Amino acid sequence: MSLIRLNSRSQRLLGHPSYPLYSAANTRSIEQAAAAQLPPHTLMQRAGLAVARLACAVAPHAQTIWVACGPGNNGGDGLEAAMHLQQWGRQPVVTWLGSEAHCPPDARASLLRARAAGVAFATEPPAQCDLAIDALLGTGTTKPLTGQIADWLLHMRRSALAVLCIDVPSGLQADTGCYADPENATNSIASKPVNTPANNLFCLSLLTLKPGLFTADGKDAAGQVWLDDLGLSELPVLLDAALTAPTAWLAGLDRAAPPPRLQASHKGSFGDVAVIGGASGMTGAALLAARSALHAGAGRVFVALLDGASMAVDPLQPELMFRQPEALKLSQSTVVCGCGGGDAVRHVLPHVLSQALRLVLDADALNAIATDTALQTQLTARAGRSARGNFATILTPHPLEAARLLSSSAAHVQANRLQAAQQLADRFQCTVILKGAGSVIAAPGQTPCINASGNAKLATAGTGDVLAGIVGAMLAGGQTAFQSACTATHRHGQVADDWPDEQTLTASELVKLNKTNLK
């Protein structure tokens, strides 16, 4: 078995390669296939041991440990862990919601092992404890939580207890990172504050990693994520390739590294970026995107302001060159269009969509396309031209912009971010970066990626413009659209992960710190 720490809410990603992510249904199929190759009860025994070991590692001084066990196999994992903790001199207290007559065979076997070891059982959580283990539901829920399960989870969330979740935080949907219909739940845990410090919240994902741990509410709910494959990689018979095809990838450094720069290079080697946007009153958005593209490694950056806005020089970045929109050579540039464009961007979009070889669409450009079927037709038509040449298109919507493009709602988009990003990519036949906690990168015919870098420091005005500029620089430098999206999103988030917690990260600071790796 291999125990791997993947990330923490409070610190940067630990430099890992990309990891496959599996849906709950795929994980169950993998579990069944693995169990068929092993003696009965083996996987639960391994899971319980892994949980107990991690509990001792993350809370080495904990004595009284509350193990909240549900009626199914997630509860069985908790019972197995409680047995080990009892044998190791800890004082586990189990609250179990199952019935011996109706629980699954593996869970019943672990129940008997826990009783034989002398584990204490109770009907209520202990008054004082040092660690709580959430073994209530794992991936086994799609319904709102009510009753005793909800009460116990609320108790965990409202207290300052260190909490270790088995597989998935109970109530969180493994595929989406959202809580099951929290608006209609009698006792919703989704809207309750988490009082547990970020460095005291842990999740041990078993067998596989699940997408919901890394996007939407999952990033807050899971805290530090660990993986134990329970010896899956050591099985003598390989699992069917179709069975192990991932739902998504957790994008690591192998998908985020720009190509090395050769010594015999010149400014033309790294492409031109043309930023079109910055209407009157919103010039800063275009400047942020342009400065960002320059710092991310573009050879030259041009800026075309809209709606009468004008500048001759940017005193903070005199390398930027200002042009009128009609003077830009769109077929020879990577165009970043929409940052601060207002309604004025609508008038230049037909020309941009038809002429730009490589195109990044952001902000007001996306809003204009969402309300204009003719622009939508033009956007989709770019896919045919891409098949015949080097055309590439990347959309960078936040959830509300994505919802407008899909004629949906932001809540619906957030309820299934992977699906929404893929739907957008397939509809317009382009690469999509659905921004937010755990940004999703999708493209037609590609397994989507979830970006694990980044945090709430990016939730300030202008950071999306900075991302658009980085994407443009990557695309201008010769990466494919999908590679550009993965590289830019990871780098954008990495700056926020490296930024001191006690300082506010502004978009301008983000620009300065986002420097390309000149190998």
Side-chain angles (χ1 to χ4, degrees):
M1 294 188 293
S2 58
L3 185 64
I4 303 169
R5 178 179 173 180
L6 285 135
N7 76 316
S8 165
R9 292 190 304 176
S10 59
Q11 54 186 220
R12 63 175 289 184
L13 196 64
L14 298 180
H16 62 66
S18 298
Y19 282 98
L21 305 174
Y22 295 91
S23 67
N26 252 23
T27 298
R28 283 191 291 271
S29 297
I30 292 171
E31 181 180 6
Q32 291 167 5
Q37 300 180 41
L38 296 167
H41 198 226
T42 299
L43 287 179
M44 186 165 289
Q45 288 180 357
R46 291 179 178 181
L49 179 59
V51 171
R53 284 175 172 170
L54 184 57
C56 292
V58 301
H61 304 296
Q63 287 300 311
T64 302
I65 300 173
W66 171 31
V67 188
C69 296
N73 283 330
N74 195 253
D77 295 339
L79 292 165
E80 189 73 20
M83 179 203 71
H84 288 292
L85 292 169
Q86 180 75 23
Q87 292 176 339
W88 297 343
R90 306 302 175 101
Q91 299 170 19
V93 177
V94 170
T95 55
W96 184 52
L97 294 177
S99 162
E100 186 172 349
H102 298 100
C103 68
D106 281 351
R108 185 176 185 277
S110 290
L111 171 66
L112 297 178
R113 285 158 62 87
R115 285 176 175 167
V119 171
F121 284 74
T123 58
E124 295 294 333
Q128 299 290 330
C129 62
D130 306 306
L131 173 70
I133 296 178
D134 169 12
L136 288 165
L137 295 171
T139 61
T141 181
T142 57
K143 297 179 180 179
L145 302 181
T146 59
Q148 203 160 30
I149 288 179
D151 290 341
W152 287 355
L153 288 172
L154 283 170
H155 179 70
M156 289 182 193
R157 291 177 71 87
R158 288 170 172 167
S159 70
L161 276 174
V163 178
L164 169 59
C165 304
I166 300 180
D167 218 12
V168 172
S170 292
L172 190 80
Q173 296 182 82
D175 294 352
T176 66
C178 294
Y179 285 95
D181 196 19
E183 294 85 358
N184 298 322
T186 303
N187 291 312
S188 170
I189 67 168
S191 60
K192 305 301 181 185
V194 181
N195 291 342
T196 303
N199 59 355
N200 273 345
L201 188 59
F202 313 92
C203 180
L204 176 59
S205 193
L206 300 172
L207 275 180
T208 68
L209 291 171
K210 289 76 180 176
L213 297 174
F214 301 100
T215 193
D217 295 321
K219 294 196 74 173
D220 286 315
Q224 295 180 17
V225 177
W226 296 71
L227 167 67
D228 197 305
D229 69 2
L230 305 184
L232 187 67
S233 58
E234 302 166 9
L235 288 178
V237 180
L238 294 177
L239 300 178
D240 182 78
L243 183 68
T244 55
T247 303
W249 287 89
L250 181 65
L253 295 182
D254 56 322
R255 292 174 181 259
R261 294 193 156 195
L262 302 178
Q263 294 297 322
S265 299
H266 53 83
K267 62 187 177 185
S269 303
F270 309 117
D272 293 347
V273 172
V275 176
I276 302 175
S280 181
M282 296 181 286
T283 304
L287 292 180
L288 285 169
R291 293 169 183 171
S292 177
L294 194 65
H295 281 271
R300 297 187 300 178
V301 180
F302 299 90
V303 184
L305 301 178
L306 301 174
D307 196 27
S310 65
M311 291 181 68
V313 65
D314 177 3
L316 296 182
Q317 204 72 69
E319 299 91 340
L320 301 180
M321 293 171 279
F322 291 84
R323 299 287 189 272
Q324 292 299 312
E326 59 273 13
L328 294 173
K329 297 178 180 179
L330 301 184
S331 62
Q332 300 175 25
S333 303
T334 295
V335 178
V336 177
C337 183
C339 302
D343 193 55
V345 76
R346 186 182 305 272
H347 306 296
V348 300
L349 271 173
H351 183 62
V352 169
L353 289 168
S354 64
Q355 297 299 315
L357 190 63
R358 296 170 297 274
L359 179 59
V360 180
L361 293 168
D362 186 47
D364 290 320
L366 299 175
N367 292 329
I369 291 169
T371 59
D372 191 321
T373 56
L375 292 177
Q376 292 171 25
T377 300
Q378 270 195 284
L379 175 57
T380 305
R382 288 180 57 85
R385 301 171 71 188
S386 179
R388 299 189 299 271
N390 195 28
F391 274 72
T393 310
I394 302 176
L395 313 184
T396 62
H398 57 54
L400 181 56
E401 290 161 349
R404 290 167 180 154
L405 288 165
L406 292 170
S407 300
S408 180
S409 67
H412 184 76
V413 167
Q414 288 293 80
N416 199 327
R417 290 171 52 77
L418 277 168
Q419 184 184 72
Q422 193 64 55
Q423 187 179 353
L424 262 180
D426 291 341
R427 177 175 177 181
F428 294 111
Q429 290 295 293
C430 59
T431 298
V432 172
I433 303 172
L434 178 57
K435 296 181 288 194
S439 293
V440 178
I441 300 98
Q446 293 268 11
T447 302
C449 285
I450 296 177
N451 180 60
S453 67
N455 54 55
K457 298 185 188 80
L458 294 171
T460 60
T463 57
D465 304 312
V466 174
L467 175 61
I470 305 172
V471 175
M474 297 299 103
L475 197 56
Q479 293 195 32
T480 67
F482 195 75
Q483 289 170 334
S484 298
C486 290
T487 302
T489 308
H490 189 278
R491 177 181 295 178
H492 184 256
Q494 193 173 46
V495 173
D497 289 338
D498 291 339
W499 190 253
D501 286 340
E502 64 276 7
Q503 298 180 27
T504 300
L505 176 61
T506 65
S508 294
E509 291 294 337
L510 187 62
V511 167
K512 298 175 192 174
L513 293 167
N514 171 53
K515 292 187 170 71
T516 190
N517 184 14
L518 301 176
K519 292 184 180 179

